[in-house]
Amino acid sequence: MNATSTTLEPVFAFLESTLSTAQTTFDKLPGSAVVLRYVKSSHRNDPGRTVLELILFAFAVWTLLQSRTRADRNGKHFIQFSEKEIDELIDEWIPEPLAQPLTSTEQSDLASMPIIAGPNGPKPKLVSTGKTAVNLASFNFTGLAGNEHIKQRAVETLRKYGLGSCGPPGFYGTLDVHMDLENDIADFLGTEACILYSQGFSTVSSVIPAFCKRGDIIVADRAVNFAIQKGIQISRSTVRWFDHNDLNSLEEVLIGVEKERKRRRGPVTRRFIITEGIFQKDGVMVDLPKLIELKYKYKYRLILDETYSFGAVGRTGRGLTELYNVPAEKVDILLGSCAVGLASCGGFCAGSRVVIDHQRINGPSFVFSASMPALLAVSASEGINILRSTPSIFETLQENIRTARAVLDKLDCITIPSHPASPVIHVNVRASHPAAPPMSPSASTGSGSSKHQHSNPQSIVSSKDKSQLTPAEYEGEERLLQEVIEECLGQGVIVTRAKGLKGQEVVEPRPSIRLALTSALTKKETEKAVGVLKAALVKVLGKRR
Amino acid sequence: MPFSSPLPSPMALNKPPPSPSIFKKRSSSALGGPIPSSAASYLTALSQADARARNANGSPTSTPALSLSSSVTSSSEDTVLHDYADNDSNANGLLLPARPPTSEQVFTTVHTEFGHCANEEYRTTSQHPPGTPLPPHVEQDPPYYILLSTYISYLILICLGHVRDFVGKRLSPASYRHLMPRNGYAPLNSDFDSFYTRRLKTRMDECFSQPVTGVAGRTILLLDRISPDYNHTQIFTGTRTRALNISSYNYLGFAQARGGCADAVEESIKRYGISSLGSRLEGGSTDLHTISEALVANFVGMEDALISSMGFATNSTIIPALVGKGSLVISDELNHASIRFGTRISGSHVRMFKHNNMKSLENLLKEVISQGQPKTHRPWKKILVIVEGLYSMEGTLVNLPAILELKKKYKFYLFVDEAHSIGALGPHGRGVADYFGVNPRSIDILMGTFTKSFGAAGGYVSGSKALIDRLRVYGHSGPYAEAMTPSVLTQVVASMASIMGIALPPEMASSSKLAIEQEYHHPGPAPPSSLPSWLSLPPNLASGAEGSSRLRRLAFNSRYLHNGLIKLGFITYGHPSSPIVPLLLFNPGKMNMFHRLMKDRQTPIIVVVVAYPATPLVTSRVRFCVSAAHTKEDIDTVLKACDEVGDVLDLKHGLPKRQRWTVEEIMKRAVELGTMA
Ligand SMILES: Cc1ncc(COP(=O)(O)O)c(C=O)c1O
């Protein structure tokens, strides 16, 4: 007893001295006496109150630290300036220009953008040439564009509802035709409910932050489209990436995440797998049954963006779920676009009632934006009716796709990553040095991944992307493809490069020509148009060698 | 939900018993004149007027602000007939104007969509008196007992909610299952996160997401619904109710199923079909896009413009293309969600200043420019100040002259979101710049939406040609988002052209380049060459006469309602010229009651009530959105209803009793109220 107290003596002495210095410094602070008196008296009257106030104080400090937009005035990096210095600094400050003018390449790119005179469709007229051309660029898979019945229904709707809805859905912007379309889509896909957004592109970037919050886990494909990337960014969730369309890589990441959680003994958080049905960047298709199996095995929820597969594949165009014969309710959150699939406008999200109702309050671009015009909703509903009753549309479409692939697959100056059933076909220049693989394995099963080394799931950049193009090579390929496009245009075929946001994509996709096939052209017409493209490719790319 | 008002009522029972209420009796003479007794008599009057006009053969614009388009008049009859299928009497006073048209008056609009109002006295010009500063916005405080009861209301609500959760979780765990972790899945929405929604908002669900049908014009048809289980489910009764619509963003009344704009849209559907089929850069651009963008640029007075198919997405995809890492966005604290979304995506630093407070903005500017970037103290690459022209929850106007003054000194770039102000403000409807008489080109970026004044959808950004070209390539919408559809573009072009009028502009066209920094001249009418060749507007629209009349009707209605409510003794927010008129309710329980009492009147009126989190906790409010489609009598109806409901709910905490006017006096002195600043 005595021994311990003697050994502890210096410790006590030290504690005492620090306490007293702390007290004197505290006493020196202006107003400290008041605070002290206040604390003492309040503690004497009501000890519980002290605890409460301490908690409140801690909470206040915590929220102040949390706030990202707090004033830095008291931060340790704040520098005190005199008024004069501030004025000088303000005078000296020269901002960068708001917008750099476009470079000449960008300008010519912009100028070469095809502009259509009059109605767009399978054979529109071009403003630049004044002639009609065969359109392999615009999204009209189902050939609903220009459908007279839909037009007539649209006019009838116009005469009953006017055009704009003049309000967000929460405030008298929900029309009966919106509810009808939501029911139509839910019924068509076989989900419990559905919600409409007024633009396809902003749908997914609004759906993701509605569900995924800070601390949740997202496992996403490396090549997801830009809208998904932005949705993930704004959600502030923890992201892990898996190799493009490689479900083995996905499984490894899922195992890794689970291990990490176990090690940290973290609580169960919401976990999501985010991927696309047919990828916007290269037309690759995901193996849905395998994906669903994985999601159940590891207890994830699946967010599937079907923008380019809804109204594109399956016997009646219901998308991947129909193609693989998977009940749509197994996909927790299924997104699609009425603009691409139904030749109207807007996007949708289908799922269980809980999933949908949650978005009606939490989806930013649903809550804070006007609902879509009535006539576009009715057009989409009519589109669904037509798809339901006319499976021949998709027979024609698939036949056209097979025809096109038969022509293009034979060419050895190009590679095509896209799935053989995808109406979106990306054409890459075959690299002059054969070592560089295309952006993705072209097989849709994801089985060919045994050899390569595994990438770091925390980085969106895959180890396979090491062999990426240099900027010069990149521009070179773009120029070649642009030449091909002009050549086609001269022959009366509109094709387009896959346009992207240079410098803003996390991984730049390889330059490609993106075809969008349509059932509105006959097999002959498709064959001829793709033949023109083939000839142009051979001519331009052949020159290169 | 507790009521601090003396009128307790079961909250979630949506339909009151059909017995006549005191309100019905009192409001039966709401229209201030004899209501035409039957549809037949009205139709006879209408067709007689039509026949007279056809025979008159005179110049179409000979009657004041009204002109004739015979095809439209005859088609409007169809709609009137069609309407009678829904409501078979004019007992609600909404179907027919208070007075049948006289022999000189021929109306080209359907009264239920766009009200007939021939009295030229009920017009004002929307303009800031030059040389005067914008009066600061004062937020009037209610008496303490109101504040106290509001806080207590929320406290009770929160306590009750927790008690119900506590008991509910034990008694009926099934109904909480989706909020609890299950089978290794975390809930999509935890019971904590959803507390506000489940326990507070659900009580008021009757006021939200009311489905409607038909045109969101002067009146709207509600699809009646009831809830048997305290708002967990809503059941449609199958009946419909026509209500006076003072809630839609239909400022200029272009939400119409009949008339020149709708005719143009029909023509465009026939010519262009429904969709543009793709993004702007990948084969979705048509000549109509080019034409519309040029017209929008001309309308707002900028060099060039870019149209995007959704207003929200205009902000969320354009702001990231303007600023990024190393830039600073300074944002008004009440800016719209789309602006916050865009700035968050952009990765730039964000700071906020107090709503419309120029002192706060200037202090912040001094601090951020002198301090530079956090930690490194490097100078900012650029600073973008983002404000709205007209704030949608407050009705406040941006203090544009003061901001432009600051801009000269602090060299920031200015982005003005004109979603609510474009078309709705200014003598020529060109938004806040027009209202204050400043040159729009002194602002760097003007953004706006077409969902509001133009009765269309989507949005635009405008600025210098170099800037817009950059946004075409670097904005996210360009390569990825679907282009605007031809029908929507046509509505934009047609409504815009009717505001501008179609004519060759006067001389100054060539010298406008030089005059950039000088006195502001608003751009003249739209030259015929700037419109699609197939577009033909009826003479009243093409001459700009109707557009100008709409602008002046809107300005009158806004001021009349705003000043009328103040004179009645209510607390309102915002600027008198603003078509958004918020009326403060404070107590959460009054929101439901106000909504219900307005809707269940003999002339049903639908209103928007907003509360936390869209507003601060205590200042729950009703937000009226005035339209040019309203007649003076409609505003009378609203004022009368507010007067009665306001007495019942104890809402008059503004002017002291002695200074208040009676509603009769207000109606009599409408012209005075509608034209005073
Ligand atoms: C200031 C502001 N910006 C943008 C928007 C979005 O416009 P839209 O409804 O066309 O998507 C709104 C709509 O309420 C708004 O108030």
Side-chain angles (χ1 to χ4, degrees):
Chain A
M1 180 70 198
N2 220 349
T4 48
S5 69
T6 44
T7 50
L8 282 180
E9 200 106 47
V11 182
F12 282 137
F14 175 72
L15 275 179
E16 205 158 334
S17 72
T18 34
L19 265 180
S20 66
T21 39
Q23 175 141 26
T24 43
T25 30
F26 180 72
D27 287 344
K28 269 188 220 144
L29 286 178
S32 62
V34 180
V35 175
L36 209 63
R37 211 171 331 120
Y38 171 76
V39 171
K40 264 188 191 149
S41 69
S42 80
H43 188 77
R44 195 168 336 113
N45 296 343
D46 181 5
R49 180 160 154 200
T50 319
V51 177
L52 191 72
E53 279 175 348
L54 268 181
I55 293 173
L56 276 179
F57 180 68
F59 182 73
V61 170
W62 179 75
T63 31
L64 267 181
L65 292 179
Q66 287 287 306
S67 158
R68 282 160 50 85
T69 50
R70 89 197 110 100
D72 291 323
R73 195 174 281 282
N74 301 319
K76 60 173 185 277
H77 294 289
F78 190 82
I79 306 173
Q80 207 64 49
F81 292 111
S82 69
E83 279 296 315
K84 192 157 154 276
E85 285 169 319
I86 291 180
D87 282 345
E88 275 171 19
L89 282 164
I90 289 168
D91 278 344
E92 274 166 27
W93 181 59
I94 303 167
E96 283 182 7
L98 183 57
Q100 305 283 351
L102 294 178
T103 64
S104 58
T105 336
E106 286 168 334
Q107 251 162 3
S108 64
D109 252 17
L110 188 60
S112 70
M113 163 182 90
I115 298 179
I116 280 134
N120 199 353
K123 290 178 200 159
K125 200 164 98 179
L126 279 168
V127 167
S128 52
T129 59
K131 290 199 209 108
T132 59
V134 178
N135 192 350
L136 294 182
S138 308
F139 292 116
N140 182 25
F141 303 143
T142 46
L144 292 175
N147 183 299
E148 285 304 325
H149 173 69
I150 296 185
K151 280 197 208 173
Q152 192 198 332
R153 289 282 292 127
V155 171
E156 285 166 19
T157 313
L158 169 74
R159 289 311 185 181
K160 202 164 158 222
Y161 294 84
L163 193 101
S165 65
C166 286
F171 297 140
Y172 308 100
T174 310
L175 292 168
D176 44 359
V177 292
H178 294 136
M179 298 190 291
D180 291 346
L181 176 55
E182 287 175 351
N183 289 338
D184 286 345
I185 295 173
D187 196 45
F188 187 56
L189 289 172
T191 59
E192 224 173 63
C194 170
I195 181 172
L196 280 183
Y197 286 79
S198 50
Q199 189 190 51
F201 172 71
S202 6
T203 307
V204 70
S205 45
S206 174
V207 170
I208 295 176
F211 293 105
C212 313
K213 310 281 180 202
R214 203 190 282 274
D216 294 343
I217 289 168
I218 293 177
V219 177
D221 190 294
R222 284 206 159 80
V224 289
N225 64 41
F226 194 76
I228 298 183
Q229 288 171 25
K230 290 295 136 186
I232 292 176
Q233 181 193 339
I234 206 161
S235 75
R236 299 193 178 136
S237 305
T238 311
V239 203
R240 295 289 178 268
W241 302 97
F242 65 93
D243 284 345
H244 179 34
N245 207 32
D246 180 345
L247 296 189
N248 293 332
S249 159
L250 168 64
E251 183 156 16
E252 279 161 28
V253 175
L254 297 182
I255 294 173
V257 170
E258 186 58 20
K259 260 195 210 138
E260 202 178 326
R261 187 183 74 80
K262 285 226 174 90
R263 205 186 62 228
R264 290 209 189 140
R265 307 233 183 94
V268 178
T269 52
R270 285 178 285 255
R271 291 166 299 192
F272 300 89
I273 298 173
I274 305 184
T275 186
E276 286 178 72
I278 289 181
F279 281 82
Q280 182 223 6
K281 284 187 189 169
D282 57 6
V284 164
M285 197 190 292
V286 78
D287 179 0
L288 189 61
K290 175 98 187 286
L291 190 60
I292 300 241
E293 193 190 305
L294 286 178
K295 122 189 156 109
Y296 278 123
K297 186 166 166 198
Y298 295 94
K299 300 197 188 296
Y300 275 69
R301 292 187 173 94
L302 175 60
I303 301 183
L304 185 67
D305 185 350
E306 288 229 56
T307 300
Y308 297 93
S309 48
F310 175 77
V313 294
R315 195 182 67 87
T316 53
R318 288 170 166 88
L320 247 57
T321 49
E322 187 177 33
L323 186 72
Y324 286 109
N325 204 9
V326 176
E329 60 209 30
K330 295 210 166 166
V331 181
D332 302 83
I333 298 171
L334 193 157
L335 296 125
S337 160
C338 303
V340 176
L342 301 171
S344 170
C345 198
F348 66 82
C349 174
S352 70
R353 186 144 288 127
V354 173
V355 163
I356 300 308
D357 287 345
H358 182 75
Q359 294 174 54
R360 294 194 194 277
I361 303 163
N362 297 289
S365 73
F366 179 81
V367 175
F368 296 106
S369 180
S371 52
M372 75 202 259
L375 69 87
L376 296 175
V378 169
S379 304
S381 279
E382 287 300 323
I384 289 183
N385 284 344
I386 294 174
L387 297 195
R388 265 181 207 276
S389 57
T390 337
S392 65
I393 290 178
F394 293 93
E395 285 159 26
T396 318
L397 180 61
Q398 282 303 325
E399 174 140 2
N400 286 348
I401 296 170
R402 277 195 299 275
T403 313
R405 291 300 290 257
V407 175
L408 293 174
D409 284 346
K410 278 188 291 205
L411 273 181
D412 55 5
C413 54
I414 56 167
T415 54
I416 298 180
S418 310
H419 189 275
S422 158
V424 178
I425 301 176
H426 284 256
V427 175
N428 298 126
V429 179
R430 187 182 289 275
S432 33
H433 42 92
M439 187 176 106
S440 59
S442 58
S444 64
T445 55
S447 57
S449 63
S450 48
K451 267 281 173 303
H452 71 87
Q453 86 214 63
H454 293 300
S455 329
N456 174 9
Q458 303 200 13
S459 146
I460 192 172
V461 184
S462 146
S463 58
K464 286 192 286 186
D465 293 331
K466 291 260 162 58
S467 51
Q468 266 206 343
L469 301 176
T470 63
E473 283 173 309
Y474 194 92
E475 265 199 22
E477 286 196 359
E478 275 193 338
R479 222 173 14 239
L480 284 173
L481 292 176
Q482 192 58 37
E483 256 179 74
V484 173
I485 288 165
E486 319 264 289
E487 179 75 27
C488 289
L489 214 51
Q491 310 283 323
V493 175
I494 311 173
V495 288
T496 176
R497 248 184 26 231
K499 297 283 171 72
L501 289 172
K502 236 174 279 163
Q504 299 190 54
E505 291 273 8
V506 204
V507 183
E508 301 273 346
R510 271 187 80 119
S512 66
I513 287 179
R514 176 193 53 69
L515 306 181
L517 296 187
T518 167
S519 67
L521 293 171
T522 62
K523 184 179 171 197
K524 274 245 175 62
E525 288 166 330
T526 308
E527 192 162 19
K528 190 156 159 244
V530 178
V532 169
L533 172 65
K534 176 185 162 190
L537 283 165
V538 170
K539 181 171 161 200
V540 173
L541 299 183
K543 230 172 21 193
R544 181 177 59 137
R545 297 249 159 94
Chain B
M1 184 176 291
F3 277 104
S4 5
S5 71
L7 242 195
S9 131
M11 261 344 254
L13 253 184
N14 283 7
K15 211 62 193 167
S19 65
S21 74
I22 48 161
F23 298 106
K24 299 213 168 178
K25 280 211 202 89
R26 274 209 251 155
S27 59
S28 58
S29 61
L31 287 164
I35 296 170
S37 55
S38 74
S41 66
Y42 176 70
L43 281 182
T44 332
L46 195 66
S47 58
Q48 278 168 0
D50 188 24
R52 276 196 299 273
R54 254 187 277 244
N55 294 337
N57 240 356
S59 115
T61 44
S62 61
T63 54
L66 300 161
S67 52
L68 141 86
S69 152
S70 54
S71 72
V72 175
T73 313
S74 57
S75 64
S76 61
E77 284 173 17
D78 299 345
T79 315
V80 174
L81 282 174
H82 167 80
D83 281 339
Y84 276 92
D86 297 308
N87 305 40
D88 37 22
S89 82
N90 189 34
N92 59 16
L94 288 174
L95 287 187
L96 313 179
R99 293 168 205 84
T102 64
S103 55
E104 293 100 77
Q105 299 165 349
V106 178
F107 294 98
T108 57
T109 58
V110 182
H111 186 58
T112 51
E113 288 173 10
F114 192 92
H116 298 173
C117 175
N119 191 337
E120 275 297 305
E121 285 202 309
Y122 302 144
R123 309 280 191 271
T124 320
T125 306
S126 165
Q127 188 167 22
H128 184 68
T132 56
L134 186 70
H137 170 58
V138 273
E139 298 199 343
Q140 213 175 345
D141 285 326
Y144 278 114
Y145 78 91
I146 293 283
L147 281 183
L148 205 66
S149 59
T150 305
Y151 279 119
I152 292 176
S153 299
Y154 275 107
L155 207 68
I156 295 177
L157 279 174
I158 290 169
C159 292
L160 264 185
H162 282 301
V163 169
R164 285 179 65 181
D165 272 2
F166 183 83
V167 177
K169 273 180 203 165
R170 278 148 190 88
L171 293 187
S172 89
S175 47
Y176 286 83
R177 214 162 43 207
H178 64 285
L179 300 171
M180 296 292 149
R182 194 159 35 127
N183 310 332
Y185 286 91
L188 272 181
N189 196 5
S190 71
D191 56 341
F192 179 76
D193 289 342
S194 63
F195 181 80
Y196 178 83
T197 316
R198 286 181 301 118
R199 292 292 172 220
L200 280 78
K201 183 182 164 288
T202 309
R203 291 170 180 271
M204 314 195 282
D205 267 354
E206 168 188 354
C207 315
F208 303 122
S209 304
Q210 163 76 57
V212 295
T213 183
V215 179
R218 173 182 157 262
T219 67
I220 197 162
L221 275 176
L222 309 180
L223 303 175
D224 298 326
R225 54 178 188 177
I226 53 170
S227 176
D229 53 1
Y230 299 97
N231 288 338
H232 288 290
T233 49
Q234 303 275 1
I235 300 171
F236 292 99
T237 60
T239 56
R240 301 193 270 185
T241 306
R242 189 172 285 287
L244 183 63
N245 177 11
I246 188 139
S247 296
S248 293
Y249 301 137
N250 179 28
Y251 300 130
L252 288 181
F254 279 110
Q256 285 178 287
R258 303 278 159 189
C261 292
D263 293 345
V265 174
E266 174 168 345
E267 178 68 23
S268 87
I269 293 174
K270 289 182 177 151
R271 280 173 181 266
Y272 283 85
I274 303 298
S275 174
S276 311
L277 307 176
S279 69
R280 288 299 299 281
L281 295 180
E282 285 187 3
S285 288
T286 65
D287 51 349
L288 210 47
H289 289 97
T290 321
I291 291 172
S292 319
E293 287 179 344
L295 188 68
V296 170
N298 186 355
F299 183 82
V300 298
M302 289 289 208
E303 236 176 23
D304 202 355
L306 168 64
I307 286 180
S308 139
S309 56
M310 182 188 192
F312 186 97
T314 315
N315 277 332
S316 68
T317 63
I318 291 302
I319 295 173
L322 292 168
V323 286
K325 281 224 158 48
S327 308
L328 175 70
V329 171
I330 295 184
S331 172
D332 189 293
E333 61 180 352
L334 293 184
N335 273 350
H336 190 251
S338 56
I339 298 174
R340 296 183 203 185
F341 200 98
T343 39
R344 240 168 91 183
I345 284 184
S346 73
S348 56
H349 212 78
V350 192
R351 296 290 295 270
M352 290 199 237
F353 64 98
K354 285 223 184 67
H355 174 52
N356 228 356
N357 184 330
M358 293 304 117
K359 204 81 227 119
S360 161
L361 174 60
E362 181 159 16
N363 287 341
L364 184 59
L365 281 166
K366 277 189 182 160
E367 182 195 322
V368 293
I369 299 178
S370 62
Q371 294 293 324
Q373 298 188 31
K375 290 191 188 141
T376 63
H377 294 287
R378 277 193 210 124
W380 296 102
K381 287 185 179 157
K382 43 194 164 187
I383 296 180
L384 182 67
V385 172
I386 306 187
V387 292
E388 286 182 32
L390 175 59
Y391 287 83
S392 60
M393 288 296 165
E394 316 289 311
T396 41
L397 278 184
V398 66
N399 194 343
L400 192 60
I403 291 195
L404 288 176
E405 213 41 55
L406 290 179
K407 179 168 155 54
K408 281 191 200 130
K409 176 160 182 210
Y410 295 97
K411 294 172 276 191
F412 55 81
Y413 298 109
L414 182 59
F415 181 114
V416 181
D417 180 336
E418 293 228 66
H420 291 270
S421 51
I422 193 72
L425 288 177
H428 314 95
R430 315 289 162 91
V432 274
D434 190 20
Y435 182 82
F436 287 109
V438 303
N439 187 342
R441 296 201 184 179
S442 54
I443 300 165
D444 299 285
I445 309 138
L446 281 175
M447 175 268 167
T449 64
F450 301 123
T451 21
K452 281 116 200 169
S453 300
F454 305 100
Y460 66 85
V461 271
S462 60
S464 69
K465 173 120 182 38
L467 173 74
I468 297 300
D469 272 351
R470 188 170 181 83
L471 295 181
R472 285 181 204 284
V473 178
Y474 284 89
H476 304 167
S477 306
Y480 301 126
E482 66 254 34
M484 192 183 263
T485 63
S487 46
V488 180
L489 286 169
T490 308
Q491 172 80 15
V492 170
V493 169
S495 54
M496 217 169 244
S498 7
I499 302 171
M500 300 169 86
I502 304 170
L504 280 174
E507 267 313 277
M508 53 172 272
S510 57
S511 62
S512 69
K513 269 251 153 55
L514 300 171
I516 282 182
E517 279 307 323
Q518 292 162 19
E519 186 71 351
Y520 167 63
H521 297 283
H522 90 91
S529 59
S530 68
L531 301 174
S533 53
W534 49 266
L535 182 82
S536 73
L537 290 175
N540 57 333
L541 291 180
S543 68
E546 170 142 357
S548 136
S549 139
R550 286 180 187 227
L551 289 170
R552 290 179 305 125
R553 272 177 72 168
L554 175 64
F556 174 86
N557 289 347
S558 309
R559 279 162 197 254
Y560 178 37
L561 181 64
H562 201 114
N563 292 329
L565 287 174
I566 291 177
K567 289 285 178 216
L568 279 175
F570 290 102
I571 299 183
T572 61
Y573 278 0
H575 192 278
S577 306
S578 137
I580 297 169
V581 186
L583 185 161
L584 275 287
L585 297 178
F586 301 105
N587 295 72
K590 291 181 185 171
M591 297 173 53
N592 256 0
M593 286 304 290
F594 194 92
H595 177 88
R596 173 90 61 84
L597 291 175
M598 295 293 270
K599 198 176 82 173
D600 288 345
R601 295 175 67 82
Q602 190 189 9
T603 305
I605 303 171
I606 52 158
V607 297
V608 166
V609 289
V610 277
Y612 179 80
T615 67
L617 193 66
V618 280
T619 50
S620 307
R621 61 196 71 172
V622 188
R623 186 188 61 181
F624 298 114
C625 288
V626 179
S627 165
H630 296 129
T631 61
K632 186 250 174 194
E633 286 75 20
D634 293 332
I635 307 292
D636 288 349
T637 310
V638 174
L639 284 169
K640 271 188 157 182
C642 286
D643 184 40
E644 287 169 18
V645 175
D647 280 335
V648 173
L649 295 185
D650 183 26
L651 295 175
K652 299 181 177 172
H653 303 296
L655 281 187
K657 270 217 172 66
R658 278 160 285 113
Q659 296 171 24
R660 291 185 200 160
W661 294 8
T662 64
V663 77
E664 285 74 26
E665 184 171 8
I666 289 174
M667 281 159 55
K668 220 182 299 144
R669 293 166 69 177
V671 175
E672 184 186 332
L673 289 174
T675 46
M676 78 188 214

